[in-house]
């Protein structure tokens, strides 16, 4: 299975972070609207990412919910009928939740840098460092940590889990 080293952090302002990321970028920015629907899955996570009316991807992944750099194993399949696929998956497995975000993507070497504005949560940076080819796992972890330092992100800003987990925790807190 393809593998990335991933790390996610909450940031106060994407506008403040943007110049540091852009100054190191090999490519970008690319702007993407993402609407992710998660479905019940006992051995990892499965989500349908809608990128447009006729474009989506079904993505399965497994990763620990740790706050530091961690391997993420994933596979995906493209679809030209994301709404039809969402309906089938919802009936078959049940929806676990939905995450909507505006993502700005840059590429720095083997790293995809995501500047995310997540509805209901705020601003985040997510790093995905490709493993294999140019970088093995230890080197990918080192690269993720190097970029965090370059962006001025403290360890205290690192977050555990997926955006869906953070949204679930926020809704529980708001109900109390």
């Amino acid at each position: 299975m393809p593998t990335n080293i991933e790390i996610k952090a909450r940031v106060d302002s994407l506008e403040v972070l943007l110049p540091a990321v852009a100054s190191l970028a090999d490519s970008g920015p690319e702007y993407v609207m993402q609407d992710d629907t998660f479905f019940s899955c006992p051995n990892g996570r499965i989500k349908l990412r809608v990128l447009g009316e006729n474009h989506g991807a079904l993505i399965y992944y497994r990763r620990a919910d740790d706050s530091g750099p961690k391997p993420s194993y994933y596979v995906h399949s493209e679809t030209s009928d994301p709404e039809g696929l969402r309906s089938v998956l919802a009936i078959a497995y049940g929806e676990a939740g939905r995450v909507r975000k505006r993502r700005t993507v840059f590429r720095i070497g083997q790293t995809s840098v995501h500047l995310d504005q997540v509805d209901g949560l705020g601003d985040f940076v997510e790093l995905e460092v490709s493993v294999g080819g140019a970088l093995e796992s230890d080197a990918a972890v080192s690269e993720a940590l190097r970029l965090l330092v370059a962006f001025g992100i403290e360890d205290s800003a690192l977050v555990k889990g997926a955006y869906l987990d953070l949204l679930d925790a926020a809704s529980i807190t708001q109900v109390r």
Side-chain angles (χ1 to χ4, degrees):
M1 245 191 281
T3 305
N4 287 326
I5 296 298
E6 293 189 9
I7 194 163
K8 185 180 303 170
R10 186 178 296 274
V11 297
D12 292 330
S13 168
L14 292 179
E15 291 74 31
V16 171
L17 183 59
L18 186 64
V21 174
S23 72
L24 297 174
D26 300 319
S27 65
E30 176 185 345
Y31 303 98
V32 185
M33 298 292 292
Q34 296 180 343
D35 181 354
D36 294 346
T37 302
F38 287 78
F39 301 93
S40 300
C41 180
N43 345 321
R45 297 180 192 263
I46 191 163
K47 64 184 173 186
L48 176 65
R49 173 164 290 160
V50 178
L51 299 161
E53 185 178 329
N54 297 313
H55 183 217
L58 185 62
I59 304 165
Y60 167 79
Y61 65 97
R62 280 191 336 254
R63 71 166 184 243
D65 286 332
D66 300 332
S67 60
K70 62 215 148 269
S72 177
Y73 309 95
Y74 65 93
V75 292
H76 75 280
S77 179
E78 302 288 323
T79 181
S80 61
D81 182 16
E83 292 307 322
L85 184 55
R86 184 192 330 260
S87 296
V88 170
L89 290 167
I91 291 167
Y93 299 107
E95 286 189 20
R98 203 156 177 180
V99 176
R100 293 176 180 95
K101 62 184 170 286
R102 286 155 308 289
R103 174 169 276 181
T104 303
V105 181
F106 289 89
R107 190 83 185 167
I108 301 173
Q110 296 297 307
T111 305
S112 184
V113 179
H114 305 155
L115 304 180
D116 291 341
Q117 294 177 302
V118 183
D119 291 358
L121 289 178
D123 294 348
F124 294 82
V125 61
E126 181 181 73
L127 306 178
E128 293 180 350
V129 186
S130 298
V131 174
L135 294 178
E136 291 306 317
S137 187
D138 289 346
V141 168
S142 295
E143 178 63 5
L145 295 172
R146 181 189 76 78
L147 288 172
L148 286 179
V149 170
F151 300 155
I153 296 171
E154 303 285 330
D155 286 348
S156 61
L158 302 181
V159 296
K160 295 180 180 182
Y163 292 133
L164 182 63
D165 301 324
L166 299 175
L167 283 167
D168 286 346
S171 69
I172 290 169
T173 302
Q174 290 172 0
V175 170
R176 292 182 182 169

